Amino acid sequence: MAEDRQQQEELGGLWAAKKIDTAGWLRARGDLEARIAQAEARLARLTRSDALTGLVGNGQQLRASWDGLDLTRQAAIVRAVLDHAVIGPGVLGARALDPDRVQPVWRL
């Protein structure tokens, strides 16, 4: 998906620079969009969630918008990619969780 999204960007640049005509751009864009949609559908089946639709290959956009997402959406995204987390040993009697002790185990 990331490669197809990158190719979409390149395609737009080629059209804007008038290196390809509109008919060629529409054909290529349709093919790319179909491949992305198929890959997103496969990903949704594998993760049993559509939480990642539109996000794969858009990590920078996700990082930029993360704080603006509601907690339900954030939790759905985390559930789709995180299998579990292992909390390592800490200081005896410590009341705060040290983030350095958390080791994520990813689904994908």
Side-chain angles (χ1 to χ4, degrees):
M1 274 187 282
E3 289 175 5
D4 284 338
R5 288 189 194 284
Q6 177 62 36
Q7 198 169 11
Q8 275 183 320
E9 292 293 322
E10 292 173 16
L11 182 63
L14 291 172
W15 181 80
K18 299 188 183 290
K19 293 184 178 182
I20 60 171
D21 63 11
T22 300
W25 177 78
L26 288 170
R27 273 191 312 276
R29 188 186 89 185
D31 292 345
L32 287 168
E33 287 177 348
R35 283 200 312 253
I36 290 169
Q38 289 172 349
E40 285 179 337
R42 282 192 309 270
L43 182 60
R45 280 192 307 274
L46 289 171
T47 62
R48 295 184 194 104
S49 168
D50 63 354
L52 300 178
T53 299
L55 298 178
V56 176
N58 291 317
Q60 289 178 341
Q61 177 187 346
L62 177 59
R63 273 190 285 286
S65 64
W66 184 259
D67 289 337
L69 298 175
D70 64 42
L71 289 178
T72 302
R73 178 77 168 132
Q74 289 178 346
I77 293 167
V78 170
R79 250 190 326 275
V81 297
L82 182 68
D83 185 53
H84 64 278
V86 176
I87 310 298
V91 177
L92 189 60
R95 293 188 176 258
L97 175 65
D98 177 3
D100 291 333
R101 293 177 35 221
V102 179
Q103 296 295 319
V105 178
W106 306 110
R107 288 186 193 281
L108 306 173

